[in-house]
Structure formats: structure tokens, C-alpha cells
Amino acid sequence: MGCALQFRNVTLGYDRHPAVHHLDGKIDTGALVAVVGPNGAGKSTLFKGIVGSLKPLAGRIERGALLPQDIAYLPQAAEIDRSFPINVYDLVAMGLWRRAGSFGGIGGRARTAIEQAIAAVGLTGFEDRAIAHAVRAPAAAGRPHDRAG
């Protein structure tokens, strides 16, 4: 397998305050990787660097043949404007936007993928609920089973 991501002495942070320091390593194509650590360890900062929304303070992230827009990234709930008038189903469907395009429809296979994604995070039955009311704050911290009733 080839290398999907390579980190070369990358430092990521905000306003010259590093959150991820001198990271070196690679992730092979098809690898299943878990990024774990305490609050403030730099996990979200790392993902922002991977998707290109945060430029490294030093070093570089090589994405191989991947473009930043080819990588799906759902930020933490605290970073989502929960007052935006969209329901759970439509928010998940937005993940298909690149494939479907601005005016493309959602076919049967796409609907199945959306339903599977919703089920995977334990939100079946909440598809029509506004994102502002779909999940309580603790669920955003990693417990999707703690849903609003």
C-alpha cells in the first residue's frame, strides 16, 4: 500500500502558539487510525491541518494524490453553528455534495449511505430533527448515545 498522508516535522497551532509539535510519520492508504488524547492535546488542530484549513507553522503535510477537498471532515459540535436551520439528514447528505454537485440529486445508493451513516452514530429516528435539537452537548464530547429526548 502507498502512503496516503505523510507528516514531515510538522508543527500546527494558532497565533504562533503550537498545539502539535514536530510531528513526523505516515499513514498508509487504507489504514484505520484512531487519534486519541486529552482535551487540548491537539487532535482537532491536527485534523484541521490534514484537511488544509490550518496552515502548518513549520514543516509540511503531504497528502499524496489527495487534495484537501477530497477529505471529509466534520468539526466538533462546538464549531458548528447549531442555529443554522438544517436537519440531521440534510447535514449528513452534505457529505455527498462533492460527488453530487450543486444541483445533483440524491439517488437510492446515496440515501442508503446517508441512512447507514446516521445509524452508525446512533441517530436513527432523528433524521428530521434540527441539528440544534438533535444532540445534547455531552454527545458532542464523544457520547452519541446520549441524545436529546
Side-chain angles (χ1 to χ4, degrees), residues 49-134:
I50 290 170
V51 300
S53 66
L54 182 64
K55 183 178 176 183
L57 299 173
R60 66 181 191 261
I61 299 172
E62 297 173 1
R63 295 174 191 86
L66 288 173
L67 298 173
Q69 61 265 32
D70 292 332
I71 303 170
Y73 168 67
L74 180 63
Q76 294 182 43
E79 298 177 36
I80 297 173
D81 180 357
R82 297 174 71 79
S83 67
F84 188 77
I86 189 169
N87 65 31
V88 170
Y89 187 92
D90 291 339
L91 179 67
V92 174
M94 285 175 55
L96 300 172
W97 181 85
R98 181 164 163 76
R99 195 176 326 154
S102 298
F103 300 104
I106 297 175
R109 287 194 331 198
R111 283 189 188 89
T112 299
I114 293 165
E115 291 163 5
Q116 289 173 342
I118 290 170
V121 296
L123 288 176
T124 299
F126 291 81
E127 294 87 350
D128 293 325
R129 192 172 290 194
I131 61 169
H133 304 292

